[in-house]
Amino acid sequence: MKKFKDKLIRFMYGRYGGNDALSKTLLWGYFIILIVGALTDWDWLWYVGFLALAWNIFRMFSRNIAARQKENAVFLSLRRKIALPFKAMLDRKHAYRTCPHCKATVRLPRKKGRHTVCCPKCREDFKVKI
Ligand SMILES: [Zn+2]
């Protein structure tokens, strides 16, 4: 058993491993697709699920760690862009506004009226109406 473990450690040395947000999402997506595929008769879902699993396995054994980290960073920024409007919609205590100078999203306390806000990223002032 120890010999197998040593071989496995030597085999995985220098490989990405795939313990990041993109890999976890791909794996969860695969399981969800499996369940939906079992409940419906959409055969094309099996191919989509297989692609997600194949991409995940490729990422696990890849030696190009920089490229895999870049993929994960792109995924995280996309996820943030998609999730922010939903988060802003559900958050009743804060208002979300975009800085006109640097385009950063600024979270403000939801106090009615006109305010002057200092952007925490670029330190420029701008006026907002809440
Ligand atoms: Zn700014």
Side-chain angles (χ1 to χ4, degrees), residues 98-104 106 118-124 126:
T98 305
C99 170
H101 307 288
C102 69
K103 309 294 179 214
V106 184
C118 176
C119 173
K121 192 176 174 191
C122 68
R123 295 282 163 208
E124 295 278 343
F126 61 97

